[in-house]
């Protein structure tokens, strides 16, 4: 069963693509069937783990064996990997089903479905690994798959650029990850999790010279691991690829943001919690980057107009929450939020895809409005996803997001207190931009000049069914799994799969902290309605008075422009110089082009001797004989 969970998506990718000659429907069904089977088996494994503690390590084959260094390809089933398998396979299965309807008019359906299944396999390989090398294989696999899917519509220049951007930015993060792996192997002599984690206390105080500076080995490893996580999970400084990734089809966005790719970074930090716990500096760094990312992304989302980009920045912000939860030592809360987030974020993306699909690929919320009666099922789904995202009482986000803020406060550190304040402020911004999206998309006046409102209708059953399943998850996942994952008995579930702090008595949480976030997100609903529907002139006045701030946020804090100036243009200039002066004018001129010109010139002269007259051939023979005699006389 464990082997089937991992390899069914791979078989689906292979069969789905190679069987395209049997028709598009066959490829869609075979890939979807295999991923759905994998999801069902993952749920069974998760259930057996909770109630029967049925965990284990299942060897696939021995990958590398060199002396004492042994790395296997294994399927490691523990509480952390079992819940990740459910997240990845279940969301992927629903995305596969959704894609059958959404990509109905695309001519390359087998390729798309195959890429989705490959993406799922790569992420599963990452989460079930028992060593860093297999994790790195899956890590690069999701990077490759995201490149293929973001650039799926390769005839669009913007899609190609977005795919390349995602690939290159992730290479920057992966460079840090690779350095961490080198350090681990150099000093620990192994890449197997259990062996590394057991040796960490021995090296806790070890100092090494790195680039001329003395630094703690564990801190260096943690920082470089986190740099890798920053790239995959689009954290501050390495976040620029995520909004552009919206150039891919909407099902891709849902899969990347809810179950694969961006969740890999959070998983890495949580999996390596036994290492991070020996470096307070690294944990503080994770917390600071997480809280900055949460606030930054929320501030940008509040003024964006592309429906998918708003949700993309929402993902970036929620990932910030997860990281600062990990930074204050609440690793289980980070995974709990990742778990609940998967449902409502996939719901929001697929819901937005339903809107885009019905509006003939329109993505600007300024060209929408008044759709709730025309698309009631999509509207209800988006409402549920928004309530869960904002942390409305008793929906999934309420349990997980509030728990992050509470644990940050209970950490008792200055960084934790600051993270609490940032988390509350970000929750307010999240509520405002989320309801802005709902009100401008589904309420108010219909603003689309290209379409008639009478022509708009809700999506078909194959799209609505996944939305319904995700809506149920967004409503109930927090309530049902809170006690298992972060409750008083959570240690019984997690066991040794992650590092857990001693249980904290929640009675220590101040009353104001328990109620402030629910009150804020509730009050934000009428506030957003007033600003975006009832009296839009108020916002226009605010924009005019704060034009610089508005432009700053609209242009995403000018990160793309700064990176263009600092990195892109200089590198392009250097590349252009090396290409023109180095490659063309030096290497080509004096190398292959120069030699070919000389050979051509000689051959052109030699051709003239091929006249057909005997005296010309006799003359050439005489010259040759003279040269031969001269040679023998000189060198005899």
């Amino acid at each position: 069963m464990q082997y089937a969970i991992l390899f069914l998506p791979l078989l689906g990718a292979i069969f789905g693509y190679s069987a395209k000659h049997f028709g598009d429907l066959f490829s869609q069904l075979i890939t979807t069937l295999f991923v759905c089977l994998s999801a069902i088996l993952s749920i069974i494994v998760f259930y057996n783990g909770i109630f029967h503690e049925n965990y284990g390590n299942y060897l696939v084959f021995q990958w590398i064996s060199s002396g004492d260094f042994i790395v296997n390809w294994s399927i490691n089933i523990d509480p952390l990997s079992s819940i990740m398998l459910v997240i990845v396979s279940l969301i992927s299965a629903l995305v596969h089903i959704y894609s059958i309807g959404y990509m109905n008019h695309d001519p390359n359906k087998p390729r798309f479905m195959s890429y989705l299944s490959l993406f799922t396999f790569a992420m599963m390989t990452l989460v079930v690994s028992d060593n860093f090398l297999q994790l790195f294989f899956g890590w690069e696999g999701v990077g490759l798959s995201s490149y293929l899917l973001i650039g799926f519509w390769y005839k669009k220049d913007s899609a190609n650029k977005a795919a390349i951007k995602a690939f290159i930015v992730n290479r920057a993060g992966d460079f840090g990850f690779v350095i961490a792996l080198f350090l681990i192997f150099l000093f620990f002599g192994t890449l197997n999790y259990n062996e590394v984690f057991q040796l960490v206390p021995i090296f806790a105080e070890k100092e090494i010279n790195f680039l001329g500076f003395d630094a703690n080995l564990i801190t260096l490893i943690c920082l470089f691991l986190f740099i890798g996580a920053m790239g995959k999970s689009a954290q501050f400084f390495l976040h620029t690829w995520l909004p552009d990734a919206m150039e891919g089809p909407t099902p891709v966005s849902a899969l990347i943001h809810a179950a694969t790719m961006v969740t890999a970074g959070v998983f890495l930090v949580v999996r390596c919690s036994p290492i991070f716990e020996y470096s307070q500096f690294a944990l503080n760094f994770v917390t600071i980057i997480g809280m900055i990312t949460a606030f930054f992304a929320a501030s940008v989302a509040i003024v964006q107009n592309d429906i998918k980009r708003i949700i993309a920045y929402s993902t970036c912000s929620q990932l910030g929450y997860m990281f600062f939860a990990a930074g204050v030592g609440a690793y289980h809360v980070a995974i709990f939020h990742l778990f609940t987030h998967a449902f409502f974020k996939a719901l929001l993306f697929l819901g937005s895809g339903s809107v885009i699909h019905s509006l003939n690929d329109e993505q600007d919320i300024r060209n929408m409005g008044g759709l709730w009666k025309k698309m009631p099922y999509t509207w209800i789904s988006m409402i549920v996803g928004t309530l869960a995202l904002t942390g409305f009482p008793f929906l999934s986000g309420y349990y997980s997001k509030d728990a992050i803020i509470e644990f940050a406060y209970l950490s008792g550190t200055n960084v934790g207190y600051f993270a609490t304040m940032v988390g509350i402020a970000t929750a307010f911004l999240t509520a405002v931009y989320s309801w802005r999206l709902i009100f401008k998309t589904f309420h108010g006046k219909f603003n689309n000049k290209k379409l008639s409102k009478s022509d708009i209708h809700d999506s078909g059953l194959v799209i609505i069914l996944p939305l319904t399943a995700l809506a149920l998850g967004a409503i109930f996942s927090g309530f049902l799994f809170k006690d298992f994952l972060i409750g008083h008995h959570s240690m019984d579930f997690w066991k040794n799969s992650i590092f857990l702090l001693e249980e904290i008595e929640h009675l220590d949480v101040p009353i104001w902290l328990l109620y402030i976030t629910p009150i804020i997100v509730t009050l934000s609903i009428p506030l957003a309605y007033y600003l975006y529907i009832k009296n839009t002139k108020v916002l226009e006045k605010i924009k005019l008075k704060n034009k610089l701030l508005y432009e700053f946020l609209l242009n995403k804090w000018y990160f793309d422009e700064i990176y263009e100036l600092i990195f892109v243009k200089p590198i392009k200039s250097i590349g252009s110089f090396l290409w023109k002066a180095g490659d063309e004018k030096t290497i080509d001129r004096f190398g292959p082009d120069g030699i070919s010109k000389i050979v051509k010139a000689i051959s052109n002269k030699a051709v003239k001797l091929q006249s057909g007259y005997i005296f010309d051939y006799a003359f050439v023979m005489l010259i040759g004989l003279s040269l031969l005699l001269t040679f023998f006389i000189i060198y005899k």
Side-chain angles (χ1 to χ4, degrees):
M1 182 165 62
Q2 287 77 9
Y3 296 99
I5 290 173
L6 178 61
F7 290 108
L8 277 173
L10 178 61
L11 291 175
I14 296 170
F15 292 160
Y17 191 80
S18 59
K20 59 184 177 180
H21 305 292
F22 293 98
D24 293 345
L25 183 61
F26 181 81
S27 294
Q28 290 174 313
L29 292 178
I30 197 73
T31 52
T32 304
L33 174 63
F34 281 9
V35 173
C36 287
L37 288 173
S38 181
I40 293 169
L41 295 176
S42 296
I43 293 170
I44 293 172
V45 166
F46 183 57
Y47 175 87
N48 289 337
I50 291 176
F51 295 104
H52 304 296
E53 298 185 10
N54 190 5
Y55 300 115
N57 191 296
Y58 304 88
L59 178 67
V60 178
F61 59 85
Q62 193 174 81
W63 195 2
I64 297 174
S65 179
S66 178
D68 295 330
F69 179 65
I70 297 174
V71 173
N72 296 326
W73 189 290
S74 299
I75 300 174
N76 181 42
I77 303 296
D78 65 3
L80 178 58
S81 61
S82 67
I83 193 171
M84 288 299 297
L85 283 175
V86 171
I87 295 170
V88 175
S89 61
L90 184 58
I91 299 300
S92 180
L94 293 172
V95 169
H96 273 73
I97 296 170
Y98 178 94
S99 298
I100 294 175
Y102 189 86
M103 301 296 287
N104 186 46
H105 301 295
D106 194 277
N108 298 299
K109 291 185 280 290
R111 179 165 61 90
F112 180 77
M113 301 299 287
S114 178
Y115 286 171
L116 285 182
S117 293
L118 181 64
F119 206 171
T120 306
F121 166 73
M123 188 64 190
M124 284 184 165
T125 300
L126 187 156
V127 301
V128 301
S129 61
D130 71 347
N131 61 81
F132 285 100
L133 197 60
Q134 183 181 334
L135 181 143
F136 186 69
F137 177 88
W139 191 269
E140 294 304 303
V142 295
L144 170 64
S145 300
S146 67
Y147 171 79
L148 295 173
L149 285 166
I150 293 169
F152 178 76
W153 286 321
Y154 57 86
K155 293 183 180 179
K156 287 174 60 179
D157 187 53
S158 57
N160 286 326
K161 288 181 178 178
I164 293 170
K165 185 176 183 179
F167 201 74
I168 291 174
V169 173
N170 271 274
R171 295 292 71 73
D174 292 353
F175 180 69
F177 186 29
V178 168
I179 292 176
L181 297 190
F182 289 162
L183 289 172
I184 291 171
F185 178 70
L186 179 63
F187 289 95
F188 292 76
T190 180
L191 292 176
N192 295 315
Y193 293 150
N194 291 335
E195 296 172 9
V196 171
F197 297 158
Q198 289 172 7
L199 292 171
V200 168
I202 300 173
F203 291 92
E205 303 299 327
K206 185 171 181 59
E207 300 282 325
I208 65 170
N209 186 278
F210 185 80
L211 300 178
F213 298 95
D214 290 331
N216 180 268
L217 173 64
I218 301 301
T219 297
L220 276 178
I221 290 173
C222 290
L223 290 177
F224 282 118
L225 284 173
F226 182 59
I227 289 172
M230 286 172 66
K232 279 287 181 287
S233 294
Q235 292 299 283
F236 198 66
F237 296 123
L238 296 179
H239 65 276
T240 53
W241 67 269
L242 193 63
D244 291 356
M246 298 303 99
E247 290 293 336
T250 300
V252 175
S253 304
L255 195 57
I256 289 176
H257 288 250
T260 59
M261 191 69 169
V262 297
T263 63
V266 179
F267 172 80
L268 174 65
V269 172
V270 173
R271 174 61 82 189
C272 295
S273 55
I275 306 177
F276 277 86
E277 280 301 312
Y278 283 88
S279 176
Q280 189 58 48
F281 179 85
L283 286 174
N284 289 341
F285 183 73
V286 172
T287 306
I288 291 168
I289 293 295
M291 73 171 82
I292 292 173
T293 304
F295 181 79
F296 153 76
S299 70
V300 172
I302 206 165
V303 298
Q304 297 301 304
N305 296 308
D306 186 303
I307 187 171
K308 287 174 65 177
R309 284 178 181 261
I310 295 170
I311 303 172
Y313 276 111
S314 169
T315 300
C316 194
S317 183
Q318 297 306 305
L319 289 165
Y321 273 104
M322 296 175 207
F323 276 114
F324 82 65
V328 298
Y331 304 102
H332 57 321
V333 182
I335 292 296
F336 181 47
H337 192 49
L338 189 154
F339 176 69
T340 60
H341 175 265
F343 291 102
F344 58 72
K345 188 49 57 69
L347 177 60
L348 287 171
F349 264 115
L350 298 186
S352 70
S354 178
V355 173
I356 295 167
H357 194 65
S358 297
L359 294 179
N360 291 344
D361 299 325
E362 178 60 66
Q363 294 186 200
D364 194 324
I365 59 175
R366 293 172 297 183
N367 298 327
M368 300 178 187
L371 298 176
W372 74 276
K373 288 183 179 179
K374 303 297 293 184
M375 306 182 68
Y377 298 111
T378 301
W379 173 67
I380 292 171
S381 300
M382 293 285 283
I383 289 287
V384 171
T386 298
L387 289 170
L389 168 63
T390 58
F392 193 80
F394 310 117
L395 274 75
S396 59
Y398 166 75
Y399 295 100
S400 57
K401 187 190 290 185
D402 278 24
I404 290 174
I405 295 172
E406 290 168 18
F407 272 86
Y409 181 86
L410 293 173
S411 67
T413 63
N414 291 331
V415 173
Y417 292 144
F418 191 58
T420 302
M421 296 300 105
V422 172
I424 293 170
T426 304
F428 170 71
L429 293 177
T430 302
V432 173
Y433 72 67
S434 297
W435 287 108
R436 171 179 178 260
L437 185 152
I438 292 294
F439 290 135
K440 290 185 78 67
T441 302
F442 294 101
H443 298 270
K445 181 183 176 183
F446 182 69
N447 297 312
N448 196 299
K449 304 292 190 255
K450 299 178 182 177
L451 295 172
S452 171
K453 192 174 180 180
S454 60
D455 295 332
I456 297 171
H457 55 82
D458 217 335
S459 300
L461 190 63
V462 74
I463 287 179
I464 296 300
L465 281 178
L467 294 180
T468 304
L470 290 168
L472 293 173
I475 295 170
F476 297 112
S477 61
F479 172 75
L480 293 176
F481 292 95
K482 179 177 182 290
D483 289 334
F484 280 114
L485 302 181
I486 63 170
H488 290 296
H489 303 293
S490 58
M491 287 188 174
D492 295 333
F493 169 74
W494 292 109
K495 303 188 186 305
N496 296 321
S497 62
I498 60 176
F499 181 90
L500 282 180
L501 295 167
E502 295 295 326
E503 290 191 32
I504 299 174
E505 182 56 56
H506 280 261
L507 294 176
D508 295 336
V509 180
I511 296 297
W512 65 267
L513 188 61
L514 291 174
Y515 291 104
I516 187 170
T517 306
I519 291 172
I520 285 173
V521 301
T522 303
L523 292 177
S524 67
I525 300 174
L527 175 63
Y529 177 79
Y530 178 78
L531 292 175
Y532 299 110
I533 298 294
K534 194 73 175 175
N535 193 353
T536 57
K537 292 180 180 179
V538 174
L539 274 181
E540 294 301 323
K541 291 179 181 178
I542 294 173
K543 287 180 185 178
L544 289 174
K545 290 181 179 180
N546 301 274
K547 193 172 182 180
L548 289 177
L549 176 61
Y550 177 73
E551 290 294 327
F552 179 71
L553 297 178
L554 189 64
N555 288 284
K556 304 156 288 188
W557 292 25
Y558 293 104
F559 263 98
D560 284 319
E561 290 78 4
I562 293 170
Y563 285 175
E564 179 82 14
L565 182 65
I566 296 175
F567 298 113
V568 178
K569 285 185 178 178
I571 290 173
K572 277 186 176 179
S573 299
I574 294 170
S576 180
F577 171 78
L578 292 176
W579 172 33
K580 297 292 184 181
D583 205 22
E584 290 186 348
K585 294 183 180 180
T586 305
I587 297 174
D588 286 349
R589 182 181 178 187
F590 297 105
D593 289 351
I595 293 172
S596 64
K597 285 180 180 178
I598 293 171
V599 171
K600 187 177 180 181
I602 294 173
S603 65
N604 287 337
K605 296 292 183 182
V607 165
K608 295 179 180 180
L609 297 174
Q610 302 292 325
S611 62
Y613 295 107
I614 294 176
F615 57 80
D616 281 336
Y617 297 139
F619 176 72
V620 172
M621 293 172 64
L622 181 62
I623 294 296
L625 181 61
S626 300
L627 291 173
L628 189 63
L629 291 173
T630 303
F631 175 81
F632 280 116
I633 291 170
I634 294 173
Y635 294 100
K636 67 177 181 178

